[in-house]
Amino acid sequence: MAQDGIGARVARKEDKRFITGKGRYVDDMRVAGMKHVAFVRSPYAHAKVGGINSEQARNMPGVLAVLTGSELVADGIGNLICGWMVHSKDGTPMNMGAWPALAPEVVRFVGQAVAMVIAETRAEARDAADVVAVEWEELPAITDPAKALGEGVPQLHPEAKGNLIYDWEIGDKAAADKALSEAAHVTRMEIVNNRLVPNAMEPRAALAQYDAAEDHFTLWTTSQNPHVARLVLSAFYNVAPEHKLRVIAPDVGGGFGSKIFIYPEEVACLWAARKTGLAVKWTGDRSEAFLTDAHGRDHVTVAEMAFDANNRITAFKIDTIANFGAYMSLFSSSVPTYLYATLLSGQYDIPTIHCNVRGVYTNTAPVDAYRGAGRPEATYVVERMMETAARELGVAPPELRRTNFIREFPHQTPVIMNYDAGDYEASLSAALSASDYAGFGERKAEAARRGKLRGIGLSCYIEACGIAPSQAVGSLGAGVGLWESAEVRVNPVGTIEVLTGSHSHGQGHETTFAQLVAERLGVPIDNVSIVHGDTDKVQFGMGTYGSRSGAVGMSAISKAIDKVEAKAKKLAAHLLEAAEGDIEIADGEVRVAGTDKKLGWHEVCLAAYTAHNLPEGMEPGLKEGSFYDPANFTFPAGAYVCEVEVDPDTGHTEIIQFVAADDFGRIINPMIVEGQVHGGIAQGVGQAILEGCIYDPESGQLITASYNDYAMPRAHDLPSFKVSTTETICPSNPIGMKGCGEAGAIGTPPAVINAITDAIDNNDLSMPATPEKVWRALRAGATAMRQAAE
Amino acid sequence: MYSLTYKRADSVEEARRLFQEASDAAYLAGGHTLLPTMKQRLAAHDVLVDLTRIGSMKGISVEGDRVRIGGGMTHAEVAGSSEVQRAIPSLAALAGSIGDAQVRHRGTLGGSIANDDPAADYPAAALALAATIMTDSREIAADDFFTALYETALEESEIVTGVSFAIPETAGYAKFRNPASRYPMAGVFVARHRDGSVRVAVTGAGNEGVFRWQAAESALAGDFSANALEGLSVDPDLMMGDIHGSAEYRANLVAVMARRALANLGSAEAII
Ligand SMILES: Cc1cc2nc3c(=O)[nH]c(=O)nc-3n(C[C@H](O)[C@H](O)[C@H](O)COP(=O)(O)OP(=O)(O)OC[C@H]3O[C@@H](n4cnc5c(N)ncnc54)[C@H](O)[C@@H]3O)c2cc1C
C-alpha cells in the first residue's frame, strides 16, 4: 500500500479550510455591482393569485425592480420538469402539473414564490417584498396523501385527476396473492414513513450574472450536480444556451439530496440577471429552507408477507401511497418506484414480490430524494416486517433472517435488481457479537431493577448505490445517463490535477480521490489536487448523490489513470531502453522491475512535455480522460443492532448502544467511512425518534417550520457508535467499492423502532417515536394485556 | 430584521430615559428571545436599549435568608456562582440546565423573568422560592408578578434590576425537555422553607403559564417526599397541548417531575 493510498486513515485535506472558516460558499461570492433578491412567497397552501400590485414596493429605498410570474412566463421561461418518466400500470404516462418558477396564477404550497424584489441590500429587498400586495383568493387545501387520492377533495392540477400522478406496479400480483392465500403464516402491517425536512447546514443560495457583451451567463449555486443544472437550465428552462452558461457550485455545506434539484430561485435569478442587466444574489434563510427545500420520505404502506411452515418467505406484497407534494421535483418520480420497490427483496431470497405505488399531489412542499431516497423507505418496510414476523412466529429475529438470507451470488430478485456480491451472514454475525446480543437478557433484567424497560432491535439492510448502467436506467425512464467522467492532468513537474464530474459537499472527495491517485501513481497526496464543481473546468459530469461518487466517479478516475499509466510506462520504457511490460510505477519512481534502472516520476512527466525524445508516434503531454458507465448498481449491505431503555413514567427513549456492521466493499479511507456512517446513523435516529414534518391538515401551514418545533438529533441524543466493516469486493467496478454515504440513514430507523417496540412490548408504534407516543403505546399495551387477562 | 437604532445604557436611569424617548423601544439583555423574534420579523422596534453594561444589574449577594441576584446576570454566571451553589444548589443547577452553553452565556435572569415564557425555567424557581422581583421603581412578589402567558406586572418601561430568592431548607427541580426546543415541557420546582411552608411551582405545562400546584403543596406539608404525591395529579384541562405533548401527557409529566424533584433534592434533573 502506498503511504497515503487506498485503505489509509488520512485526515481530510479539505478540513483545514472548513475548520478555519475559509470555505468559500455561494453567499461568500461577491461580484461587482451585485444586488440582492428577496422572494414574495405564498402565505397560503392553495390560492389563486389575483393582481400583484408592486407600486409601493418599487418606491421603497434601494429597490431596483419587482418581477412577477406572468412576466417570467411571457419571456418564455420553461416550467420546471421531472426528469424521469414513470408510466402507470395501464401504460399511461405520469400526470405532471405545470410548475412555473414564479407562479402567475395559482400557488399550491405555503412558501411558493410569486414575485421577486431586487434591491441594493438584502434588508431593503426584504422590506420591499413585505409590501408587495398580492390579491390572494384562498382555495381549500389537502395535505394527507391517503385522503388526497380521489375526487371529492381539493384538486391540485387539471392534469392529474383525483390528484393521482401515477398508479405503478412491479412484480407478479397474481402469484403474490396465491402465495398469500396458501401461506402457513401471514404477517400484515400498516407502515408510515414519516416526512422529513433535509436541513443541510448551508441554506440554498444562487448568484446570477449576465455579461451582455458576450451574451454569457454565470450562475454560482448550491448544487450537488452543476452540470446537470446547466443541462436542465438550458435544455428545458430556456434561460441560457448551454455553451453560454457557466455553472459553479463552490464549497457546498451539505445537501443530503436536497441540492440535486434545480429550484425556482435559480431559474428566476438567471432570468432576472438578463432582464435587468444586474448581477443578483439570493441567499435563503432557514425558514425558506423549511418551506421550500424538497422534503423526503412521506409514504403510507400496507405490507403482507407470506411464510411457509419452515418460516421461509414465499411472497411479499406491498401497497404504497407516496406523497409528492405540490409539484413533481426533478427526480421525484423515481424515488418511490425504481429506488424503492426494487429493494423490497432486502437480503432475502423471496420468490414472489408485488408492489403497487400510487403517487399523489398534496398542498405541501415538493418531495424528492433525501439521504437514501427510496431505500430507507424499503428497508423500513422489510425490516419492520421481519422483526414483527419473528415475534409472531416465535422465532429469534436473527434466526428468521438467517433462514431467508440469500447465500449465492449473483442473485436475481423478482424486482429487477441483480445482487452481484455479499455475505449477509458475515455482517449479521459481526453485529450480533459486537452488541453481545446473546447477553441481552441479563441487561434487560438489570435495567428492570432500575425501573427501566430495555429493548433490542435488529435491522439487516441492503441498498443500491451508483445507480446504473445508463442503458438500463434509460429503459426505465431516466432522462439522463448515469455514468461519470474524469480527467487526469499530469503537470510537467509530476504534480497531478484530477477533474471530476462528482461534486463534494461534505463527502471528502479531495482526500479520497487523491488517495486513489497516490496509490496508483506513487505520488504523495499533497501533490494531487481535485477539481470539481465548475462547468468551465470539468467538461461534464453527473454529480454526487446515491453514494455514487466512489463507485462511479472514482472508477472513472481509475480508468483515466489506466491510460496515464500506460502512456507513462511506454515513455519510460523508451527512455530506459526496456520493455514496456517490465516498467513499474511506485514511490515516486518509474523503474525497470528487478534492476536498478529507474527515473523519477517527475522526470518522466517532464520528458512527456519537453517532447525531446518521445517514442515514435507518441503525442506530447500527459493527460487522459475517461467516461465510465458501470455494469451494475453496487449493493452495500449490513446489520445494525440498537439497544434502548425506555422510561415507563415518561416514555422517553434513551439509545444505550448502537452497533453497525457494514459491507461497503473495498474501503479507501476508514475514517471518512466512519464519519459517513456516524452521520447516517444520527439522521436515522433523527427519523426514528425525533424528526417529523407536520402540516396543518386544514390550512396546509407548515407547523414544524423552525428548530423550535422540528426536532433535530444532537450529540446528546446519541451513544458512541460501535461501527465495523466486513468486506466483499464489488465485482462491478474496477476498485471493488460499493458506497457508504447513505447506509446509516437506511439501516437505522427499523433497528431503533424494533428496539423500542421490543422494550415496551407493543408493536403499534410509528415514527417519530416521540416520548408521548411511546408513553401511549405503553399504556395501550398494558390495557390490552389487562383486557386479555380478564 | 427591520432597521433600528441600537443604544447602550450605562445606568438604569439612562436606560429608562432612552426607552421613553423612543416611540417603540425594547430593552435588550441577552437577546436570546428578542433577537430571533425580530429576525423573523415577528417584532419590530425602532430602538433597542442595551442593558448588559449596567453595573448595578450585576452581582450576587447572600443577605440573611435571601440570595439576591442581579437582573443582568447570565445563566452561566448564576450556575457557576459558589454563593448560589452553597445557598440554593438546586437554583444553580436549574440555571446550569437552561438551553445550551451559548444560551447560558448570553441569556439573563432579568430577561427570562421579564419575558415570562410559559416554558422558561426561572419562573418556576421564582414562585417556589418565594422570590421578590426588584425593579428600578419597586419590589413585586413573584406570586403577583407572572400574570399571563408572556405577561407580567411590569409597567411598560420598567426594568427588572434583580431577583431576591428565599433560601429554603431544601429544594429540588426536575424537568422534561421538549425534544425540539429543549425548553421544559414540564418543569417542577419543589421547596420546603424554613418556616415549614412548602411551595411547588410548575412551568412549561400550564395553559396559563407558570403556576403553583396547591394540592401538591398541601400533600407535601406533612410528608415532604415523593410518597406523599402518590395518586395526585393535575387537571389536564388546565394544561397546554401541542404537537410535542398533549395536555393529558403534560399532566402526567407534571406528576412524574414533581416526584423526581423530590427524589433529587439539592439538584436539578433534566430528561432528554
Ligand atoms: C436556543 C435557545 C434555547 C433556550 N432554552 C431555554 C431553556 O431551556 N429554558 C429557559 O428558561 N430559557 C431558554 N432560553 C431563553 C434564554 O435562556 C433567555 O432566558 C431568554 O432568551 C431571555 O433572556 P435574555 O437575556 O436573552 O432576554 P432578551 O431576549 O434580551 O429579552 C427578552 C425580553 O425581555 C425584555 N427584557 C430583557 N431584560 C429585561 C430587564 N432586565 N427588565 C425588563 N425587561 C427586560 C426584553 O425587552 C424582551 O422583551 C433559550 C433561548 C434560546 C435561544
Side-chain angles (χ1 to χ4, degrees), chain A residues 444 453-456 644 646 754-761 778:
Chain A
K444 187 175 176 72
L453 305 170
R454 196 156 171 132
I456 195 162
V644 301
V646 172
N754 288 339
I756 301 175
T757 53
D758 179 51
I760 63 175
D761 202 16
L778 254 173

Side-chain angles (χ1 to χ4, degrees), chain B:
Chain B
M1 196 178 292
Y2 298 96
S3 76
L4 55 88
T5 307
Y6 166 88
K7 295 188 176 175
R8 180 192 292 162
D10 291 323
S11 68
V12 171
E13 297 70 32
E14 187 188 2
R16 194 142 186 177
R17 182 174 53 74
L18 291 172
F19 188 103
Q20 284 165 344
E21 281 168 9
S23 68
D24 184 13
Y27 291 124
L28 175 68
H32 267 50
T33 294
L34 185 60
L35 295 182
T37 327
M38 294 181 69
K39 276 184 175 172
Q40 290 195 298
R41 299 181 161 233
L42 299 172
H45 297 283
D46 61 345
V47 172
L48 288 187
V49 180
D50 188 348
L51 305 176
T52 55
R53 310 293 168 103
I54 300 176
S56 65
M57 288 173 62
K58 290 284 183 184
I60 292 172
S61 58
V62 178
E63 290 150 18
D65 57 0
R66 297 191 82 84
V67 179
R68 184 197 183 285
I69 304 178
M73 296 300 277
T74 65
H75 311 329
E77 286 167 336
V78 175
S81 148
S82 53
E83 285 103 325
V84 182
Q85 285 168 5
R86 261 196 310 274
I88 318 177
S90 52
L91 179 62
L94 172 144
S97 77
I98 295 174
D100 52 35
Q102 290 94 321
V103 172
R104 291 194 290 276
H105 280 82
R106 294 296 307 169
T108 63
L109 172 60
S112 178
I113 293 287
N115 192 51
D116 192 17
D117 187 316
D121 290 282
Y122 267 130
L127 280 189
L129 296 173
T132 303
I133 316 299
M134 291 169 299
T135 78
D136 57 335
S137 56
R138 58 189 169 140
E139 297 192 349
I140 310 166
D143 285 337
D144 303 325
F145 185 81
F146 304 106
T147 50
L149 301 180
Y150 299 102
E151 276 177 33
T152 66
L154 289 175
E155 303 289 331
E156 207 204 8
S157 58
E158 201 170 355
I159 299 171
V160 176
T161 54
V163 181
S164 145
F165 297 93
I167 299 173
E169 196 178 82
T170 181
Y173 182 58
K175 66 173 164 182
F176 191 88
R177 288 199 178 105
N178 174 321
S181 73
R182 317 269 157 152
Y183 276 73
M185 281 224 285
V188 181
F189 204 107
V190 297
R192 185 168 66 194
H193 288 275
R194 293 172 176 179
D195 61 4
S197 67
V198 169
R199 283 176 168 246
V200 178
V202 178
T203 188
N207 58 14
E208 285 175 16
V210 65
F211 68 95
R212 280 176 66 183
W213 184 12
Q214 258 115 14
E217 292 181 353
S218 321
L220 292 171
D223 170 11
F224 195 67
S225 81
N227 296 335
L229 296 182
E230 245 5 279
L232 208 63
S233 59
V234 289
D235 182 354
D237 286 346
L238 303 178
M239 298 296 111
M240 288 193 271
D242 57 27
I243 57 166
H244 305 287
S246 64
E248 187 189 5
Y249 180 61
R250 277 193 167 81
N252 169 67
L253 288 181
V254 169
V256 175
M257 290 307 114
R259 292 201 296 273
R260 299 263 166 106
L262 286 156
N264 290 292
L265 293 173
S267 67
E269 186 191 354
I271 300 174
I272 294 193

